[in-house]
């Protein structure tokens, strides 16, 4: 009898969580326990605590009456069911069949977020918990400030434990005790629900072209592994939009689709506008990976006007690949579409395909590391015009063999030898210039390298100096082939000692040359570090391959200088520059990142010399900065700015203000885009969004924003 009674007590006080099984053992601790077999009564008094299967009940007294089959629990009582539900009450009276019960002056806390206080809580049918004359909020409530930031007052709240839903009758939403909205009936998920069908909080947006609008998302849970979000967006200037997002996870992959359909009068040709972005990835047998992404839009200005994306070239791709320690296999097909003003997609290579096989191994006879690579690729243009290559289509087969070996001398010097042979077969159609038809290009490389890393450590820092000299030979001449993938050249510390600085295959760096450089690294005991790289390329003859702004033109290249300063994990300053002997700069880029718990600041400055060969008729001199400052525990101010020094105007600017605590987040932003084209005009955007914690698994951002009561 005593064991059954104790098990019954444990089952009853698991409400409103999942009922515990009487079979799972329990422990009862109290200052005093008495049992009357004749009256079928059990009483426990003083620091009563019952523990079973992770459920803990603490009370001042417990009495079970077997004749009336009733339980009486004296408070204050505390019931803790894992991390999900905690109940605090002054008194409880429950029936022995576990289906009915009353708790007075009670408060329930769901997952340390949502608090529901009521004069009375009634348990019905072992599933429903009803709260009468209730107040619900996820905000911290203190004695010196009893008014929460927001609360929902209702005549009754019913918690369906099975469906994990909260039903409000005659509910009023209040902000700082001021009524804002009234709902005769309202349903919301409890905090244990990660995904529940229903409306999400709306957001307000204003755009200079399309007017003021409101977005009201509706989330639809399609089972455990899929969901759909539909967001109507109506504006004051007649723009009607329906946004959609579909997500699904499979056993071996996932997909996500984002899109929108809009009816407006912003274009003269078509009032119906739309876009679709989709991507997915799947694990295939034998370690292969399938990936795809789709990017479609109805017209060039749609994405930027409605702030869906600032991409000006769309790429849709499908690829299958496998990467192992010493082998790579991959095949990819990409479709490009340019949204840039002045671009003609008929004469751009809109369809590009690649297939690659690469293998790395160590030869038994020579040692070192060898690499074999085979590639097939092609470019397709929609135009059928052969004049000046406007409709040029290209197919290429390539083979590459590389070998390198390092020898370390006793004094620490490292000497290396390397060689490479590349063969490319081209077939060109619809081009009336010299490279029409078929041609084969063979490019050999031979290299010798010397490095001497020297390390010194003193009481304050560790120093590492490494001079490097690399001799490379390749033939001076090459056949005139169509250059599709090597138009933009980057000369930096990452490719200072590369065979070729061209980013693709169609152009290969030629001629005999010396790559030389010096690196210095300092690691200080105080937590900061400094890295410097200086280098240059000296050629035997100028083969006239590079543009004027690349830094590689002429017999002697520009000086390459790169520096980085890091202070712990908070501050990083990086600068990379290309300049001539008289310190005339052709390129310069500086980036700074500074972040602490209170503020964050990032800025970039870019200078590029004008170069018509790279499609840049004017110099580029741009500065951008964005930052945020948490000036109070819950308030954060953010801003961003991009300025064009050549045009002497601001390209984009914005400012934002957010408030965040344990129960709510408020975001207000104002941004202005100053650029214009035939597709878009300068416009100002204003956005307001609010999110509340406590309904569904949607915490607002961490313990650092939680408020604490004084005293």
């Amino acid at each position: 009898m005593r064991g059954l009674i104790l098990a019954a007590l444990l089952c009853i006080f698991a409400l409103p969580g999942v009922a515990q099984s009487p079979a799972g053992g329990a422990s009862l601790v109290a200052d005093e326990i008495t049992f009357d077999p004749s009256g079928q009564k059990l009483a426990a008094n003083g620091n009563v605590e019952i523990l079973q299967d992770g459920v803990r009940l603490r009370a001042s007294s417990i009495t079970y009456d077997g004749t009336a089959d009733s339980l009486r629990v004296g408070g204050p009582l505390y019931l803790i069911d894992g991390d999900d539900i905690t109940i605090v009450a002054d008194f409880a009276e429950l029936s022995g069949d576990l289906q009915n019960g009353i708790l007075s002056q009670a408060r329930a806390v769901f997952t340390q977020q949502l608090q529901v206080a009521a004069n009375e809580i009634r348990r019905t049918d072992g599933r429903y918990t009803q709260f009468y004359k209730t107040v619900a909020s996820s905000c911290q409530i203190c004695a010196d400030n009893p008014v929460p930031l927001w609360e929902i007052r209702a005549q009754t709240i019913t918690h369906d434990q099975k469906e994990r839903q909260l039903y409000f009758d005659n509910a009023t939403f209040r902000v700082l005790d001021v009524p804002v909205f009234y709902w005769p009936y309202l349903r919301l998920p409890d905090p244990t629900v990660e995904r529940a069908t229903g409306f999400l909080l709306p957001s307000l947006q204003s755009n200079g072209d399309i007017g003021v609008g409101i977005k009201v998302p509706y989330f639809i849970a399609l089972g455990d592994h899929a969901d759909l979000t539909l967001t109507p967006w109506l504006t004051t200037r007649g723009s009607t939009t329906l946004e959609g997002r579909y997500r699904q996870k499979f056993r071996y992959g996932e997909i996500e689709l984002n899109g929108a359909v809009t009816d407006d009068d912003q274009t003269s040709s078509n009032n119906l506008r739309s876009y679709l972005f989709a991507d997915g990835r799947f694990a295939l047998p034998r370690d292969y990976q399938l990936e795809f992404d789709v990017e479609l839009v109805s017209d060039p200005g749609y994405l930027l006007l409605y702030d869906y994306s600032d991409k000006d070239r769309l790429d849709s791709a499908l690829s299958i690949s496998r990467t192992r320690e010493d082998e790579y296999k991959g095949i990819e097909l990409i479709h490009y579409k340019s949204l840039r003003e002045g671009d003609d997609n008929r004469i751009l290579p809109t369809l590009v395909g690649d297939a690659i096989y690469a293998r790395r191994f160590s030869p038994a006879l020579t040692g070192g590391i060898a690499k074999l690579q085979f590639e097939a690729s092609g470019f397709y243009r929609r135009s059928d015009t052969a004049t000046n290559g406007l409709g040029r289509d290209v197919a290429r087969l390539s083979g590459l063999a590389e070998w390198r070996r390092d020898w370390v001398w006793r004094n620490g010097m490292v000497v290396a030898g390397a060689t490479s042979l590349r063969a490319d077969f081209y077939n060109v159609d619809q081009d009336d210039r010299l490279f029409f038809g078929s041609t084969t290009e063979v490019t050999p490389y031979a290299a010798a390298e010397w490095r001497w890393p020297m390390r010194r450590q003193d009481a304050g820092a560790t120093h590492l100096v490494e001079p490097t000299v690399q001799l490379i030979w390749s033939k001076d001449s090459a056949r005139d082939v169509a250059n599709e993938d090597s138009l933009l050249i980057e000369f930096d510390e990452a490719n200072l000692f590369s065979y070729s600085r061209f980013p693709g295959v169609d152009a290969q760096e030629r001629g005999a040359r010396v790559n030389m450089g010096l690196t210095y690294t300092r690691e200080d005991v105080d937590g900061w570090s400094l890295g410097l790289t200086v280098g240059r390329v000296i050629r035997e003859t100028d083969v006239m391959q590079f543009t004027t702004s690349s830094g590689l033109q002429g017999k002697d290249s520009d000086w390459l200088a790169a520096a980085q300063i890091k202070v712990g994990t908070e501050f990083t300053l990086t600068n990379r520059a290309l300049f001539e002997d008289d310190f005339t700069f052709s390129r310069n880029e500086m980036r700074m990142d500074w972040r602490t718990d209170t503020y964050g600041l990032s800025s970039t400055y870019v200078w590029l010399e004008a170069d018509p060969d790279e499609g840049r008729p004017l110099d580029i001199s741009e500065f951008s900065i964005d930052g945020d400052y948490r000036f109070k525990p819950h308030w954060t101010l953010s801003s961003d700015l991009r300025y064009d020094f050549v045009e002497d105007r601001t390209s984009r600017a914005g400012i934002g203000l957010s408030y965040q605590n344990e129960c709510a987040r408020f975001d207000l932003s104002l941004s202005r885009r100053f650029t214009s084209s035939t597709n878009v005009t300068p416009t100002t955007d204003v956005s307001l969004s609010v999110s509340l914690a406590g309904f569904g698994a949607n915490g607002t951002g961490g313990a650092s924003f939680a408020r604490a009561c004084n005293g």
Side-chain angles (χ1 to χ4, degrees), residues 72-117:
R72 298 173 62 88
V73 183
L77 64 91
Y78 302 87
L79 177 67
I80 304 171
D81 186 358
D83 297 328
D84 291 339
I85 301 174
T86 301
I87 294 180
V88 182
D90 289 344
F91 176 78
E93 184 172 346
L94 304 165
S95 63
D97 63 3
L98 314 179
Q99 302 301 306
N100 301 284
I102 298 175
L103 293 89
S104 62
Q105 300 299 318
R107 179 166 56 95
V109 181
F110 296 83
T111 63
Q112 304 299 314
Q113 292 187 53
L114 181 66
Q115 302 180 49
V116 180

Side-chain angles (χ1 to χ4, degrees), residues 242-310:
L242 178 63
E243 299 177 353
R245 183 191 69 180
Y246 176 78
R247 302 181 301 178
Q248 183 169 359
K249 286 187 176 292
F250 304 90
R251 183 176 182 181
Y252 296 107
E254 60 184 357
I255 61 172
E256 179 172 338
L257 288 75
N258 290 274
V261 178
T262 299
D263 185 7
D264 64 16
D265 57 0
Q266 297 295 316
T267 60
S268 58
S269 59
N270 186 9
N271 290 342
L272 197 62
R273 314 169 74 182
S274 62
Y275 92 97
L276 174 65
F277 283 5
D279 63 85
R281 57 203 55 87
F282 292 88
L284 302 179
R286 302 180 65 181
D287 301 327
Y288 284 96
Q289 295 287 328
L290 170 66
E291 297 184 8
F292 73 87
D293 73 272
V294 177
E295 297 179 350
L296 303 173
V297 68
S298 60
D299 58 272
Y302 182 61
L303 295 176
L304 194 59
L305 175 62
Y306 285 85
D307 199 27
Y308 292 127
S309 174
D310 58 0

Side-chain angles (χ1 to χ4, degrees), residues 117 143 173 204 286 331 378 440 479 489 498 564 600 632 637:
F173 179 75
L204 187 67
R286 302 180 65 181
I331 184 170
T440 301
R479 296 192 180 185
I489 300 99
S498 297
Q564 183 182 75
K632 286 189 176 182
L637 180 68

